[in-house]
Amino acid sequence: MSSSDAICEKIHDAHGPRWERGGICVACVLEMMDRSDVSAVRKRAALVSVMRVPAVREFLYREEEGRINFISSLLRTLFSAVDSSLLDQTAQVLLQVTLDIPSQALLLFILDQIHSRWSDVGGLKASLSSVMFLGKLLDAHPALSQTLTSSRSRVLECVCAALLLSDEDVKAGVCYVLLRIWSSASAVQMLTDTLRQRMCVLLLHTLSNTHTTALTVNCLGVVKQMCQYSEVVCVLMNLKDGAEDPLPYQPLPLILKKLLLSAQDSLQVVSVRCVCAVLIHAPQRFTAAFIQADLPEFLLEVMSSGCTDVLLWSVFSCLLLLSEDPLFFSQCHAVYGMEPLVRCLKETLGKSNTEVQKQGLELLSAILDRQPAAVRLFPTASEFTGVCDVIVEGVATSCLQVSMCAVRAAAILLRPNHQSSPVQFSDVRRVVEAVMSKCREISSGSESVSAAGVLLQTLTCFDAACRLLEVCVCESDLTDGVCSAPAQQQETLESVCVFLLHCCDTTCIPAVTGVCERVSSPQTLQLFLSVLSRQFALCPAHMTSFSKKLAASGFIRLTVDSKAQLCSGNRNASLNQICCDFLMKLCMCLISNTDTWNQEDIQDVQHVLQESLPSLCCSVSDWPSLLPDIPQSLRNTQFCIIHLLHLSLLHGDRCLCDSAVFSCVLRFIVCVQDQCDDALPACVLSSVLYLLSVNQHAGPPLDMVSVSVVSKALSSCPAVFSHALPLSALSLIFQYPELSERFGAPALTGRLSRGPEEERELLELLHTHPAALLNMLGVACDAETAVCQSAVGVLRSFLCSVDGVSISRTTDLSDHIRSALMSVLQRHTHTDGLSVLLDVLSVIQSHSSSQMTHTDFKLLYHVASLLLGNVRLLELLEEVLSSSSSSSSSLHCSSLLLLSSLVLLQHKHHAQVQKSIRVDLHQILRRLAFNKRETDALLLVCSVRFVQVCLDVDESALVCVCDAALERPLQTADGALHPLGHSGTASLVTALSALMLQKQDLLVSAALNCLTSLMEFLCRRTPESVQHMVVHQPWTRFLLFSLLSCDGSLRPAALQLLTLLVRFSGSVSLWKSEVESVCEEVERRGVTDLSKHTLSMMLTQCCAVAPPDDLRMRMNALLESLQPLPPSDASNRHMLRVGRVSVCLSDLKPGAQDF
């Protein structure tokens, strides 16, 4: 038996073959659908055959009557059948019929049949199968939704009425149908207000009384879809508590809160999304209802309890919308919600769902941004540290979008109102460090498109950090208490400021300049310049070097060109203001740390920049055309350009080519003079001189006309010479005689007024420009005292720095200097500048390698006359030398040396003395004999030199030796040896012997010189005393033995002492063994160049006193071996400089004339 037999066995009643299609009798199928005695199984099998065999359906569709009958039969089955499988198959066949026959009339017929069945008072109400069929029909024919809301709205009313049934499965089906309706915008537009209102009430009623999850989910789905329309949202939210209505219901916020408290994740997700759907349309209008329903608390509770990523994303989104209402913060939801949010974000960032991470960080940013400043979110340091941990982790994530969300949150977190007390500088540094690390990472990568956006975000954050620290610098309240917790507070305000400056230097500047090379963004540039400007307030101690680096890197030019590109035509006013502010701070910092300008000039420059920078919107390349051509009313603009050019070039940034700068600056001066303006301000003229001098190599030397123009400009502004003109400007002046003659001395005076630190640069000037040297001498003689000293110091350093060849080349110049000095000395009848003149004369004389000329002697005569006639000077010398202190000082040494020189000059020239100086000679002897260890070596040398001079001149009108022991009647021995006396002579011999054993050559030489003068003094007074006090003293022989055996070599001091002893002994016999020892040593080991002259003098002296023949022959042989000797250095005028004391070494070393 075939399948058709199974279907038609009891139905077929002599139907003809014309009804058979595909082995199935269509007539039987039609008949059995309405028969109650046919089982549901057979009916379902017949319908399955219909679905399986298209020919059957074609036959059924052939006649309209048959088609209508078949559809009516199926609808009757749909409403009357009980078997679920039959109902599903019936609905499936009906849907297939509507698809096979695309007829609007057919669809309307079906809707009318459904409505008649549902609205029949005595008939059936909406069944689950019919409702489900309608939903599927709407799925298959979306346009049918509009029909339901327009011409067949009565069907939709019946559908809504089904929500009042007790069967929740039917209600769920109804919600499905309504969802299809509300998914069609055209259908929603056709809904009447009454029906719309009716649907809202029914849905709230259903949600208020539902007991199954399926119905709740479906119903919420409809509500969520309805919330796509603002007018419906208003209806839903305006429906207050309807407990007294015929259809009791709860307000939507309470319903959603109740669902949010359910333990089912799906219900929580849908309820939260419904809230979001409501709030999206008008958060300012509807958030209050949800907040008053304590919905934020429950959302935070859901967040804390742990939930799926879908629910968490929904919660984040809902809270983000709720936070748009200030009521959210007034209810302190942000305060107690921060801790669960931070904890939840920590967990989320450890997962891989980047969408949830982004939404959470966006919520954090919104709360931080909208939180009222009066209420702090982080009252304790631990809370602030926790949110910093989240942000640092978020910034470091690999997803760029998440990282940028964290950077935005960091920028808001760094606002002052979010800081705990005291400010946690360690956490601030951690956040900035993470952001800068991400900036470096992106800047070095290949994502050039995203680099600009990343840079903008990181600069925003970095600017916020700078703002915060700027507030901390100004408001000490924010940093109070930092020192109370050193264990937790490892960073200080100063250290973080320096760190930000380092980040700015190493990260921000390279990143911004790299991006700006490709595209100029006003927002990026504005933030960048704002960051740079803030560094001047944060790190003032480091701004000098940082400003110089910025200027050297071309930031003046970069800022000016950016202004011209982005701000011309009154565009980007805020960027223009930031550019001006940065340029002002940079320029003023550079100027304030340059000695070229004084305080008044700095104020003038500041005024010019403040007035001209906002309107200066032309590129640097246009400046050459602006300097000579703009009208007189815009003179300050020209001054501004001059200053900017000066500062750029001063720090190594050549904005324009040298020739362009040189020519346009020169034309600028001519233009100013042609317009009969007043003199250029001193600060402007100083900049002009600098620009001309630095760029003059780019063209030929100035012609007479140009020199005249510069000269006129300098003449009109004498105040420019109160500035310390740069070296290049001085070179320009001394390059042209017309300028150096008139302005050389004032220019040097202004430069020297800055102090001795200018010595090195001025030395270069003196080496290259001889005219500068003569002008320097004029300054040294005629300027104020401080400048005089500086000029003398420069001259001294200059003459010390040149070698013999260079000195020989400056012979004519030295002659000019001597002549100038002579003129000054003859002109000076007073002695106010005497010390300066003496310093200059000392420098000239001590560095002269030629013999003294007539001019030299005249100079010395004038100096001696001035000194000896200066009573106050002599009184000061007496006061200094009478001091009981024996400690070394430059003043004491200078006094002894000066008095020694004056005694010799007075004795030689018999000059008139206005006052005698009382000197305690025995105090000096006691210093030499007993206080050598406590006395400085130079003071010992100067003391020995003074004693030697006193012995050489015997009596002096200048020096009066005073001693308490000499005031009583003298013994014969003491009188013969006055002023030393017998005991003083013995003490001096002992002291000199001890000094000759020292290792310092200068002390030994001075002692030998003084011993020579002492022995000559003794020979003049009592010849026999020289023998028993010096020559025949055992100590003398021991001293000679010690010197000869020292170091295993012949010391010049030993040879000099032996020569002296032989000379005053009158024979070699007493010293024969020592002489033979010297000869033997010379024959065996030779002699150094240093001892050759001394040895020759000793051998000559020994041969002159009739030595034994064998010894004479031996000494003559040695003398012949020493010939020819190189020129002796004894005649050279070597100088020893100690502090401000100059000592002529030839005065302290024995020469040939001494023997």
Side-chain angles (χ1 to χ4, degrees):
M1 184 176 60
S2 65
S3 61
S4 62
D5 294 335
I7 296 172
C8 302
E9 179 182 2
K10 296 181 180 180
I11 302 301
H12 194 276
D13 187 14
H15 293 156
R18 68 184 184 88
W19 293 96
E20 185 175 353
R21 294 291 186 275
I24 298 175
C25 180
V26 177
C28 290
V29 172
L30 291 173
E31 289 178 5
M32 74 169 59
M33 295 308 299
D34 288 328
R35 293 180 57 172
S36 58
D37 59 337
V38 178
S39 66
V41 174
R42 294 187 67 185
K43 290 181 180 180
R44 178 180 179 279
L47 292 176
V48 169
S49 299
V50 172
M51 290 297 295
R52 186 177 68 248
V53 181
V56 175
R57 297 198 304 276
E58 291 177 2
F59 184 81
L60 290 171
Y61 304 157
R62 185 176 57 182
E63 296 180 0
E64 182 177 357
E65 183 181 357
R67 182 170 64 243
I68 294 299
N69 290 335
F70 179 62
I71 292 174
S72 299
S73 177
L74 291 176
L75 287 172
R76 287 191 294 272
T77 302
L78 185 66
F79 280 96
S80 61
V82 178
D83 185 76
S84 60
S85 60
L86 176 60
L87 289 172
D88 291 341
Q89 191 63 43
T90 302
Q92 186 176 358
V93 173
L94 275 171
L95 287 176
Q96 187 62 45
V97 170
T98 61
L99 293 174
D100 291 342
I101 306 175
S103 170
Q104 180 67 15
L106 180 62
L107 293 174
L108 293 177
F109 172 76
I110 294 174
L111 290 178
D112 290 339
Q113 291 296 313
I114 293 175
H115 176 260
S116 65
R117 288 279 182 167
W118 284 354
S119 61
D120 189 1
V121 177
L124 298 173
K125 296 297 182 182
S127 63
L128 176 62
S129 58
S130 60
V131 171
M132 293 300 295
F133 168 71
L134 182 58
K136 292 178 181 178
L137 188 64
L138 292 174
D139 285 340
H141 303 279
L144 193 59
S145 298
Q146 185 176 359
T147 303
L148 281 175
T149 58
S150 56
S151 61
R152 296 298 185 270
S153 59
R154 59 184 181 275
V155 178
L156 188 56
E157 292 175 355
C158 292
V159 171
C160 293
L163 287 174
L164 298 176
L165 299 176
S166 59
D167 189 345
E168 294 202 350
D169 290 336
V170 174
K171 293 181 181 180
V174 171
C175 289
Y176 185 81
V177 173
L178 294 179
L179 183 62
R180 301 276 67 81
I181 297 295
W182 284 97
S183 298
S184 172
S186 58
V188 172
Q189 290 179 355
M190 304 298 294
L191 272 174
T192 63
D193 293 340
T194 303
L195 186 55
R196 184 185 295 117
Q197 178 84 10
R198 178 69 174 169
M199 285 184 185
C200 291
V201 172
L202 288 172
L203 285 171
L204 292 182
H205 169 74
T206 303
L207 282 172
S208 301
N209 299 278
T210 182
H211 298 91
T212 62
T213 302
L215 175 58
T216 304
V217 170
N218 283 12
C219 194
L220 285 175
V222 178
V223 172
K224 179 177 178 294
Q225 191 64 36
M226 292 170 69
C227 289
Q228 301 296 321
Y229 303 94
S230 301
E231 61 275 11
V232 180
V233 171
C234 294
V235 173
L236 286 171
M237 293 301 296
N238 289 330
L239 291 173
K240 304 301 180 183
D241 191 354
E244 303 297 330
D245 291 357
L247 292 177
Y249 60 87
Q250 295 175 341
L252 182 61
L254 292 179
I255 293 173
L256 295 177
K257 184 178 75 170
K258 179 182 68 174
L259 296 175
L260 189 62
L261 294 175
S262 67
Q264 299 184 43
D265 187 77
S266 59
L267 290 180
Q268 291 176 324
V269 171
V270 177
S271 62
V272 173
R273 289 186 176 178
C274 284
V275 176
C276 295
V278 171
L279 295 178
I280 284 174
H281 290 285
Q284 300 288 341
R285 184 175 179 183
F286 301 124
T287 50
F290 290 106
I291 293 174
Q292 290 171 353
D294 296 328
L295 192 68
E297 295 183 22
F298 296 101
L299 290 173
L300 294 171
E301 185 176 343
V302 170
M303 183 195 305
S304 302
S305 61
C307 51
T308 63
D309 288 347
V310 175
L311 177 57
L312 189 58
W313 185 91
S314 302
V315 170
F316 285 157
S317 302
C318 187
L319 286 172
L320 190 60
L321 291 169
L322 289 171
S323 66
E324 295 183 19
D325 195 313
L327 185 62
F328 179 86
F329 298 95
S330 64
Q331 298 291 331
C332 297
H333 294 303
V335 175
Y336 57 72
M338 184 55 64
E339 188 273 335
L341 175 59
V342 171
R343 186 173 65 251
C344 185
L345 279 174
K346 284 183 179 179
E347 297 175 358
T348 303
L349 289 172
K351 301 177 182 179
S352 58
N353 194 323
T354 58
E355 292 300 323
V356 178
Q357 294 170 358
K358 287 191 297 182
Q359 200 71 358
L361 290 170
E362 290 290 349
L363 174 60
L364 176 62
S365 300
I367 293 177
L368 291 173
D369 184 34
R370 299 163 186 167
Q371 174 68 20
V375 181
R376 291 188 178 273
L377 289 175
F378 313 106
T380 65
S382 60
E383 295 172 337
F384 185 80
T385 301
V387 75
C388 287
D389 292 338
V390 168
I391 288 178
V392 169
E393 186 176 356
V395 171
T397 188
S398 59
C399 177
L400 183 59
Q401 293 179 335
V402 174
S403 180
M404 289 303 100
C405 289
V407 171
R408 285 191 291 272
I412 305 172
L413 177 67
L414 292 175
R415 292 176 182 174
N417 60 290
H418 290 315
Q419 306 309 304
S420 60
S421 181
V423 176
Q424 301 302 302
F425 292 118
S426 297
D427 293 326
V428 172
R429 173 166 180 160
R430 281 197 305 125
V431 171
V432 175
E433 201 165 10
V435 172
M436 290 295 100
S437 177
K438 178 60 67 172
C439 181
R440 288 190 294 269
E441 176 186 334
I442 300 301
S443 299
S444 60
S446 58
E447 302 180 31
S448 58
V449 176
S450 61
V454 171
L455 181 60
L456 183 62
Q457 293 294 334
T458 54
L459 281 177
T460 303
C461 179
F462 193 79
D463 185 57
C466 294
R467 286 174 182 267
L468 170 62
L469 294 187
E470 197 172 28
V471 172
C472 291
V473 169
C474 300
E475 300 180 12
S476 59
D477 295 345
L478 291 175
T479 57
D480 285 347
V482 170
C483 298
S484 62
Q488 291 80 16
Q489 190 74 31
Q490 300 176 354
E491 295 288 343
T492 63
L493 174 60
E494 182 180 1
S495 66
V496 178
C497 288
V498 173
F499 168 73
L500 291 186
L501 179 62
H502 175 73
C503 290
C504 186
D505 187 22
T506 59
T507 302
C508 294
I509 291 177
V512 172
T513 53
V515 170
C516 288
E517 287 177 357
R518 299 188 295 269
V519 58
S520 295
S521 168
Q523 296 85 359
T524 301
L525 191 61
Q526 181 173 336
L527 280 171
F528 176 56
L529 293 179
S530 174
V531 165
L532 291 180
S533 296
R534 297 186 192 281
Q535 304 309 309
F536 290 89
L538 298 180
C539 296
H542 299 79
M543 278 302 101
T544 299
S545 58
F546 187 63
S547 298
K548 291 179 180 178
K549 185 174 183 180
L550 290 177
S553 302
F555 270 78
I556 294 178
R557 173 165 38 90
L558 171 67
T559 310
V560 170
D561 286 343
S562 298
K563 271 171 54 66
Q565 179 184 357
L566 301 172
C567 302
S568 58
N570 295 324
R571 295 176 300 151
N572 299 315
S574 57
L575 173 60
N576 189 28
Q577 179 60 41
I578 288 294
C579 289
C580 296
D581 182 60
F582 168 68
L583 281 175
M584 174 65 68
K585 290 181 178 178
L586 176 61
C587 293
M588 296 314 298
C589 182
L590 294 172
I591 291 172
S592 300
N593 290 280
T594 303
D595 294 336
T596 306
W597 290 279
N598 54 36
Q599 191 60 38
E600 181 180 355
D601 295 328
I602 291 176
Q603 294 177 356
D604 292 342
V605 174
Q606 184 176 9
H607 172 72
V608 167
L609 295 178
Q610 286 176 340
E611 179 181 328
S612 304
L613 281 177
S615 60
L616 185 64
C617 289
C618 59
S619 63
V620 173
S621 59
D622 296 330
W623 286 358
S625 60
L626 292 177
L627 279 176
D629 294 337
I630 64 176
Q632 185 177 355
S633 58
L634 298 178
R635 184 70 71 215
N636 275 350
T637 302
Q638 292 177 317
F639 293 167
C640 178
I641 293 174
I642 290 291
H643 291 315
L644 294 178
L645 275 174
H646 179 192
L647 291 174
S648 298
L649 192 56
L650 182 64
H651 295 91
D653 179 25
R654 296 187 176 272
C655 300
L656 300 168
C657 64
D658 294 347
S659 58
V661 174
F662 187 79
S663 61
C664 72
V665 170
L666 200 57
R667 284 187 289 126
F668 163 72
I669 303 175
V670 175
C671 174
V672 172
Q673 293 177 355
D674 289 346
Q675 293 178 356
C676 299
D677 272 356
D678 295 333
L680 287 174
C683 55
V684 176
L685 185 54
S686 177
S687 297
V688 165
L689 286 177
Y690 176 80
L691 293 173
L692 289 176
S693 60
V694 172
N695 296 284
Q696 64 177 334
H697 65 276
L702 295 176
D703 54 22
M704 293 302 298
V705 175
S706 300
V707 171
S708 176
V709 168
V710 175
S711 177
K712 182 178 179 181
L714 293 174
S715 300
S716 63
C717 184
V720 74
F721 299 113
S722 63
H723 297 68
L725 294 179
L727 183 64
S728 57
L730 293 178
S731 299
L732 176 68
I733 291 175
F734 288 110
Q735 184 175 348
Y736 301 97
E738 298 85 349
L739 299 179
S740 63
E741 290 176 2
R742 295 187 60 187
F743 311 111
L748 287 176
T749 301
R751 182 78 181 193
L752 288 168
S753 62
R754 292 167 57 178
E757 63 272 7
E758 299 303 316
E759 180 177 303
R760 182 181 57 82
E761 293 186 355
L762 287 175
L763 287 178
E764 300 177 11
L765 184 70
L766 298 184
H767 278 289
T768 53
H769 297 287
L773 189 56
L774 289 175
N775 279 273
M776 185 68 73
L777 177 60
V779 173
C781 296
D782 296 330
E784 297 179 356
T785 303
V787 177
C788 291
Q789 297 295 340
S790 299
V792 171
V794 173
L795 287 171
R796 181 180 292 109
S797 299
F798 168 73
L799 293 174
C800 288
S801 66
V802 295
D803 53 21
V805 177
S806 299
I807 292 176
S808 65
R809 291 176 180 173
T810 61
T811 300
D812 293 340
L813 186 59
S814 298
D815 292 340
H816 286 304
I817 293 176
R818 286 187 175 90
S819 300
L821 277 175
M822 178 63 67
S823 174
V824 172
L825 286 170
Q826 291 173 347
R827 195 168 67 243
H828 276 239
T829 57
H830 57 85
T831 56
D832 294 341
L834 182 59
S835 60
V836 176
L837 298 179
L838 289 177
D839 276 344
V840 176
L841 180 59
S842 173
V843 170
I844 300 299
Q845 290 299 122
S846 61
H847 289 84
S848 175
S849 59
S850 61
Q851 296 295 324
M852 293 184 66
T853 64
H854 177 67
T855 303
D856 294 326
F857 285 108
K858 290 181 67 176
L859 283 170
L860 290 175
Y861 173 77
H862 281 287
V863 169
S865 300
L866 286 172
L867 291 175
L868 293 173
N870 191 333
V871 177
R872 179 55 185 156
L873 175 63
L874 298 180
E875 290 175 349
L876 288 174
L877 284 176
E878 182 177 80
E879 181 181 346
V880 171
L881 295 177
S882 64
S883 173
S884 59
S885 173
S886 60
S887 59
S888 173
S889 67
S890 297
L891 180 61
H892 212 107
C893 294
S894 301
S895 299
L896 285 171
L897 291 176
L898 177 58
L899 185 55
S900 300
S901 300
L902 290 176
V903 169
L904 287 176
L905 288 171
Q906 190 275 334
H907 180 73
K908 181 176 181 180
H909 299 289
H910 305 287
Q912 185 178 0
V913 177
Q914 299 294 330
K915 172 182 172 53
S916 296
I917 300 176
R918 295 171 59 85
V919 179
D920 190 346
L921 185 61
H922 285 263
Q923 181 184 357
I924 297 176
L925 294 179
R926 285 191 293 272
R927 179 189 302 143
L928 297 175
F930 305 112
N931 297 326
K932 291 187 294 295
R933 294 182 181 275
E934 294 82 12
T935 305
D936 185 80
L938 181 60
L939 183 54
L940 289 175
V941 170
C942 296
S943 300
V944 170
R945 173 61 180 166
F946 178 72
V947 172
Q948 177 192 348
V949 170
C950 291
L951 294 174
D952 287 339
V953 302
D954 278 337
E955 297 290 341
S956 173
L958 180 60
V959 175
C960 177
V961 177
C962 61
D963 183 35
L966 300 178
E967 293 178 359
R968 60 180 181 269
L970 299 177
Q971 299 295 326
T972 304
D974 289 331
L977 297 179
H978 181 77
L980 294 178
H982 187 274
S983 62
T985 303
S987 297
L988 182 58
V989 171
T990 304
L992 294 177
S993 300
L995 291 176
M996 281 187 278
L997 291 176
Q998 300 295 319
K999 293 183 179 180
Q1000 299 182 32
D1001 291 340
L1002 188 60
L1003 270 176
V1004 175
S1005 299
L1008 279 170
N1009 252 1
C1010 188
L1011 182 60
T1012 303
S1013 297
L1014 175 61
M1015 296 177 75
E1016 291 176 347
F1017 171 79
L1018 293 175
C1019 285
R1020 292 196 303 271
R1021 296 297 181 89
T1022 55
E1024 66 280 0
S1025 61
V1026 72
Q1027 300 298 321
H1028 71 266
M1029 295 188 74
V1030 182
V1031 176
H1032 295 293
Q1033 278 290 329
W1035 173 257
T1036 303
R1037 187 172 295 277
F1038 175 74
L1039 174 63
L1040 180 60
F1041 172 77
S1042 299
L1043 292 175
L1044 286 172
S1045 59
C1046 181
D1047 298 335
S1049 61
L1050 290 177
R1051 292 180 62 186
L1055 299 178
Q1056 293 167 3
L1057 179 59
L1058 181 55
T1059 304
L1060 193 61
L1061 293 174
V1062 170
R1063 171 189 168 192
F1064 284 95
S1065 297
S1067 69
V1068 185
S1069 57
L1070 273 176
W1071 316 101
K1072 181 179 179 182
S1073 60
E1074 285 80 1
V1075 174
E1076 290 177 344
S1077 174
V1078 170
C1079 292
E1080 181 180 352
E1081 182 71 16
V1082 172
E1083 291 169 348
R1084 182 169 61 88
R1085 301 178 61 177
V1087 66
T1088 62
D1089 291 339
L1090 185 62
S1091 302
K1092 283 183 179 180
H1093 290 282
T1094 309
L1095 177 62
S1096 175
M1097 288 187 288
M1098 187 212 77
L1099 295 176
T1100 302
Q1101 180 65 46
C1102 290
C1103 290
V1105 292
D1109 293 340
D1110 56 341
L1111 184 57
R1112 183 192 304 108
M1113 294 175 60
R1114 193 175 182 181
M1115 291 189 294
N1116 285 333
L1118 289 175
L1119 279 171
E1120 291 178 0
S1121 67
L1122 295 175
Q1123 299 297 332
L1125 291 174
S1128 173
D1129 62 349
S1131 61
N1132 290 341
R1133 302 173 61 85
H1134 297 293
M1135 299 295 293
L1136 173 65
R1137 183 76 178 175
V1138 181
R1140 294 198 61 212
V1141 181
S1142 298
V1143 182
C1144 184
L1145 297 185
S1146 62
D1147 293 338
L1148 304 177
K1149 294 184 178 180
Q1153 69 277 7
D1154 298 321
F1155 304 103

